[in-house]
């Protein structure tokens, strides 16, 4: 191998790295390593001037390897690979040393942090010598998409794709489209009709020849990889095989079961109802107690099942605004009624929501704040009382215990991951968090992609959301899919595992090990094979193969041992 010409770039990240690590010293130490032609410290390596500096050095000094000591490769590896490609160098001749997340952010002692950053950089310098030029590969992209879930998110995704001329298979588990939104009367904060909103989309979807709707249906299996999936959809009409390039999971949420909060007596006290039961009353235009009388006092209780130690710690995001909406709808239907709104904290974020909160005060909704992890107590009303019951509340604002007269209690039930979320996650090979919500590729930078290429998540199956956010996610997912469809083929990363067929004994140890289902066994040759488009280069199979038949491209033994020796 010719002696490599290595450039080392130590990023200060403003003060993020520099405040703990002496970046100039790290660069100086790196410059003494064999093969290092230039070593620089710079304030923002990912900035245009930072990248231009690397490109200029590659072109003028003939660098053939680059080390960037900066943040996590997850953050900017693709940026710097792009800079190498722009300079005419194979992008895989780059190695990043993480001296921010793994160094300056976790250490306070400047001496020790500088030494560690120096070691990490030295490891990267030794490793990059053994990097090989790798070429990306391309696979075909089937333009059809499978959308799982027929609520507002799934419908939006299906319409976006279908109205752009693409085939969509829309699979809904229940017997009708519309999801939970189909059970809602008006939407906050602008009081638009949910029925109109959802009905218009259902009509467009069912009339669009590019959309095949399966009701009372289930996706039985999903095989293949991005651009080339094969699914089986089972419904009353039998099982239909479909070929698709992408999958949008939009399975939504399940309303929290209010009977689990024993103190409220939902299911035994007919005048204690959930927000969805109240929506049904609103849609019929009749707000009545069990005695068939319009209530004089209505109390709305927030955070039922949400923000609680006993049930779910998270906020369900839509309940506060929906509770305020009830104040408006009750006052509009029953102008003389008293509306009490019992909350833990009022979350009025989002466009128009603060104004909506203000309007609720103007129509004289009576707000009371109660303690988190406590539940207002329900006491029966007596024969002389003009109400069905009382709610005893420890009012945090006045510091007093108050008995509120009430005829009807509306429980703002939160959102829960659906019971079948584990099954769906297994089917499409994605992960769930501790609450059962599907996990995105990156919460900020890649919120609708997943760790399985070609599988996207949108709406409340990812976490509680309002309608606008769900629709935005559906559109984001479809924009990603349409970009791939427009290209007609998909670029597959050049970093994947490969099986040397001559060395493979066919023991199949690797077959069930791959978390991405990327290993295929050929029953004729009795050898295993990695489907490169599905491989995420996790390395599990490489280390497990008893015949050492699997090589991880870009993670070869030579590269890893050189890095370890460099660090040591
Ligand atoms: S490359 Fe990473 S460490 Fe450097 S400035 Fe950019 S974000 Fe910060
Ligand atoms: S573990 Fe290795 S030897 Fe066994 S089937 Fe897989 S690749 Fe072949
Ligand atoms: S490297 Fe990981 S993802 Fe790739 S085939 Fe092996 S086990 Fe699967």
């Amino acid at each position: 191998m010719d002696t490599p010409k290595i450039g080392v770039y130590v990023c200060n990240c403003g003060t993020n790295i520099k405040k703990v690590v002496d970046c100039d010293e790290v660069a100086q130490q790196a410059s003494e390593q064999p093969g290092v032609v230039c070593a620089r410290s710079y304030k923002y390596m990912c900035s245009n001037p930072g990248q231009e500096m690397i490109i200029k050095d590659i072109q003028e000094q003939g660098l053939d390897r680059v080390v960037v000591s900066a943040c996590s490769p997850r953050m900017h590896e693709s940026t710097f690979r792009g800079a190498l490609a722009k300079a005419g160098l194979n992008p895989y001749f780059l190695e990043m040393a993480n001296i921010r997340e793994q160094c300056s952010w976790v250490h306070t002692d400047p001496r020790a942090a500088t030494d560690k950053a120096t070691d990490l950089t030295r490891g990267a310098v030794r490793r990059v010598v053994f990097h090989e030029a790798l070429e990306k590969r391309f696979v075909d992209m089937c333009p059809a998409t499978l959308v799982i879930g027929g609520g507002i998110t799934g419908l939006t995704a299906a319409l976006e794709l279908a109205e752009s001329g693409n085939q969509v298979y829309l699979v809904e588990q229940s017997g009708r489209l519309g999801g939970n939104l189909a059970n809602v009367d008006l939407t906050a904060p602008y009081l638009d009709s949910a029925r109109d909103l959802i009905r218009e989309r259902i009509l467009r979807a069912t009339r669009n020849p590019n959309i095949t709707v399966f009701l009372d249906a289930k996706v039985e299996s999903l095989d293949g990889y991005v651009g080339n999936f094969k699914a089986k959809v089972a419904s009353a009409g039998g099982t239909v095989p479909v070929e698709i390039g992408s999958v949008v999971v939009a399975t939504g949420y399940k309303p929290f079961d209010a009977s689990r909060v024993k103190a409220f007596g939902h299911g035994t006290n007919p005048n204690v109802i959930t927000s969805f039961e109240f929506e049904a009353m609103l849609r019929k235009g009749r707000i009545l107690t069990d005695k068939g009388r319009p209530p004089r006092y209505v109390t709305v209780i927030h955070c039922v099942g949400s923000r609680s130690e006993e049930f779910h710690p998270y906020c369900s995001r839509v309940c506060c605004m929906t509770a305020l909406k009830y104040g408006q709808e009750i006052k509009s239907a029953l102008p003389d009624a008293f509306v009490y709104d019992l909350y833990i904290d009022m979350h009025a974020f989002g466009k128009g929501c603060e104004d909506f909160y203000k309007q609720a005060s103007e129509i004289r909704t009576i707000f009371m704040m109660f303690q988190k992890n406590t539940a207002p107590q329900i006491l029966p009303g007596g024969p002389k009382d003009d109400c069905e019951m009382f709610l005893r509340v420890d009012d945090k604002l006045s510091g007093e215990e108050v008995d509120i007269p009430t005829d009807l209690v509306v429980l703002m039930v939160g959102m829960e991951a659906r019971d079948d979320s584990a099954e769906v996650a297994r089917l499409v090979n994605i992960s769930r968090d501790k609450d059962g919500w599907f996990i995105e590729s990156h919460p900020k930078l890649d919120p609708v992609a997943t760790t399985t290429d070609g599988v996207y998540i949108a709406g409340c199956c990812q976490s509680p959301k309002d309608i606008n956010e769900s629709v935005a996610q559906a559109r984001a997912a479809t924009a990603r899919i349409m970009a791939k469809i427009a290209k007609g083929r998909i670029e597959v990363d050049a970093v994947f595992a490969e099986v040397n067929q001559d060395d493979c004994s066919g023991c199949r140890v690797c077959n069930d090990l791959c978390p991405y289902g990327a290993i295929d066994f050929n029953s004729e040759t009795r050898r295993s094979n990695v489907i490169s488009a599905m491989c995420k280069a996790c390395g599990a199979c490489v280390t497990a193969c008893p015949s050492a038949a699997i090589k991880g491209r870009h993670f070869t033994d030579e590269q890893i041992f050189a890095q370890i020796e460099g660090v040591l």
Side-chain angles (χ1 to χ4, degrees):
M1 186 197 299
D2 294 340
T3 312
K5 293 174 109 179
I6 308 168
V8 179
Y9 299 88
V10 183
C11 185
N12 304 350
C13 198
T15 55
N16 257 309
I17 296 174
K18 200 178 179 168
K19 71 174 183 238
V20 191
V21 172
D22 183 339
C23 297
D24 295 340
E25 186 185 324
V26 176
Q28 165 58 33
Q29 297 267 3
S31 71
E32 293 169 14
Q33 289 299 308
V36 174
V37 172
C38 68
R40 303 182 193 281
S41 156
Y42 185 67
K43 51 189 174 187
Y44 296 111
M45 278 319 309
C46 58
S47 65
N48 282 340
Q51 292 183 58
E52 288 303 327
M53 182 195 295
I54 299 174
I55 293 170
K56 192 161 170 274
D57 284 349
I58 293 171
Q59 290 171 338
E60 291 182 358
Q61 304 199 44
L63 303 182
D64 55 13
R65 300 285 190 282
V66 172
V67 167
V68 180
S69 296
C71 47
S72 159
R74 255 188 92 128
M75 190 84 193
H76 275 303
E77 191 172 54
S78 61
T79 308
F80 295 117
R81 278 187 181 162
L84 266 67
K86 219 169 161 186
L89 197 60
N90 186 289
Y92 293 90
F93 284 137
L94 167 82
E95 178 65 13
M96 286 187 76
N98 184 347
I99 62 164
R100 189 178 74 169
E101 287 86 337
Q102 293 178 359
C103 194
S104 70
W105 281 2
V106 288
H107 299 299
T108 49
D109 175 0
R111 184 65 265 151
T114 303
D115 288 346
K116 181 173 172 183
T118 303
D119 292 345
L120 291 171
T121 304
R122 196 185 320 108
V125 169
R126 298 285 173 87
R127 183 191 208 277
V128 82
V129 171
F130 294 98
H131 279 204
E132 296 161 336
L134 300 176
E135 295 305 327
K136 292 202 168 176
R137 296 171 54 170
F138 294 89
V139 293
D140 290 339
M141 174 72 197
C142 170
T145 300
L146 175 68
V147 177
I148 310 176
I152 183 70
T153 310
L155 281 166
T156 303
L159 285 168
E160 287 287 308
L161 290 159
E163 289 175 357
S164 306
N166 302 297
Q167 177 68 46
V168 177
Y169 301 101
L170 177 60
V171 179
E172 166 56 38
Q173 198 182 42
S174 75
R176 60 147 179 84
L177 295 172
N180 286 311
L181 191 57
N183 301 325
V184 171
D185 182 40
L186 303 180
T187 63
Y190 301 115
L191 303 180
D192 307 314
S193 162
R195 207 180 320 195
D196 292 350
L197 201 136
I198 205 82
R199 195 184 285 159
E200 183 264 347
R201 273 159 183 75
I202 293 172
L203 275 178
R204 267 164 60 201
T206 47
R207 286 176 184 169
N208 191 312
N210 287 336
I211 302 180
T212 307
V213 178
F214 297 91
L215 294 177
D216 287 316
K218 204 173 162 188
V219 180
E220 267 187 356
S221 64
L222 180 76
D223 298 307
Y225 51 89
V226 56
N228 300 273
F229 291 110
K230 285 185 172 61
K232 283 188 183 149
V233 180
S235 64
T239 299
V240 180
V242 294
E243 293 192 2
I244 60 260
S246 316
V247 180
V248 178
V249 181
T251 45
Y253 69 95
K254 180 182 95 166
F256 176 78
D257 174 6
S259 67
R260 289 167 67 191
V261 188
K262 298 283 178 247
F264 292 140
H266 178 258
T268 51
N269 184 337
N271 290 317
V272 176
I273 61 174
T274 68
S275 36
F276 278 100
E277 288 161 348
F278 191 54
E279 293 286 350
M281 282 190 181
L282 293 168
R283 288 175 61 127
K284 282 187 201 147
R286 282 183 299 163
I287 305 173
L288 301 171
T289 65
D290 68 321
K291 299 200 175 71
R293 285 201 302 262
R296 182 165 165 73
Y297 306 101
V298 182
T299 302
V300 183
I301 304 179
H302 292 225
C303 295
V304 177
S306 312
R307 308 184 67 228
S308 101
E309 274 170 12
E310 193 180 353
F311 302 107
H312 300 300
Y314 54 79
C315 164
S316 288
R317 291 179 74 104
V318 298
C319 319
C320 284
M321 288 305 104
T322 309
L324 296 183
K325 177 193 83 150
Y326 290 160
Q328 306 259 2
E329 291 191 271
I330 295 163
K331 287 285 189 177
S332 158
L334 308 169
D336 294 331
F338 292 87
V339 180
Y340 293 93
D341 188 299
L342 308 188
Y343 67 98
I344 296 173
D345 288 308
M346 187 64 74
H347 289 183
F349 63 88
K351 198 171 177 181
C353 293
E354 200 57 40
D355 287 343
F356 195 57
Y357 185 16
K358 207 167 133 215
Q359 280 168 31
S361 309
E362 285 163 4
I363 58 159
R364 297 199 180 166
T365 299
I366 304 157
F367 292 100
M368 292 183 129
M369 193 180 193
F370 67 98
Q371 189 70 40
K372 197 173 171 186
N373 294 317
T374 65
Q377 199 186 342
I378 297 184
L379 308 169
K384 290 190 187 150
D385 296 316
D386 71 338
C387 60
E388 294 287 332
M389 58 195 138
F390 290 93
L391 272 171
R392 180 159 293 169
V393 188
D394 229 341
D395 179 31
K396 256 173 95 176
L397 298 178
S398 65
E400 288 179 11
E401 198 172 70
V402 185
D403 286 349
I404 303 171
T406 298
D407 295 319
L408 190 64
V409 175
V410 181
L411 304 174
M412 302 306 306
V413 288
M415 296 188 195
E416 277 189 329
R418 287 170 53 97
D419 294 338
D420 62 359
S421 71
E423 193 187 331
V424 173
R426 258 195 312 277
L427 176 81
V428 301
N429 200 16
I430 58 177
S431 310
R432 299 183 311 147
D433 67 15
K434 66 177 177 30
D435 298 310
W437 307 112
F438 299 139
I439 298 179
E440 61 286 323
S441 177
H442 188 290
K444 291 193 175 70
L445 303 176
D446 211 356
V448 294
T450 65
T451 46
T452 298
D453 288 341
V455 175
Y456 300 87
I457 49 175
C460 292
C461 63
Q462 186 242 7
S463 69
K465 276 177 201 67
D466 60 16
I467 301 165
N468 348 358
E469 288 173 320
S470 299
V471 167
Q473 282 210 326
R475 294 201 153 144
T478 52
R480 297 283 300 272
I481 294 168
M482 284 196 273
K484 284 198 169 84
I485 294 172
K487 283 187 183 163
R489 59 183 196 158
I490 299 164
E491 197 179 81
V492 178
D493 193 10
V495 180
F496 52 84
E498 287 176 311
V499 178
N500 181 335
Q501 299 290 299
D502 293 338
D503 291 343
C504 174
S505 66
C507 70
R508 305 188 70 168
V509 164
C510 58
N511 289 192
D512 295 328
L513 203 71
C514 176
Y516 304 97
I519 304 180
D520 192 34
F521 185 71
N522 185 325
S523 48
E524 280 175 21
T525 62
R526 311 235 19 109
R527 298 283 183 275
S528 290
N529 234 320
V530 173
I531 303 163
S532 57
M534 293 173 78
C535 173
K536 295 278 180 190
C538 72
C541 61
V542 181
T543 52
C545 174
S547 308
I550 314 180
K551 175 185 162 190
R553 281 161 54 115
H554 207 56
F555 289 91
T556 63
D557 290 353
E558 245 179 348
Q559 290 165 1
I560 290 166
F561 285 127
Q563 183 168 23
I564 293 169
E565 279 167 17
V567 170
L568 297 176

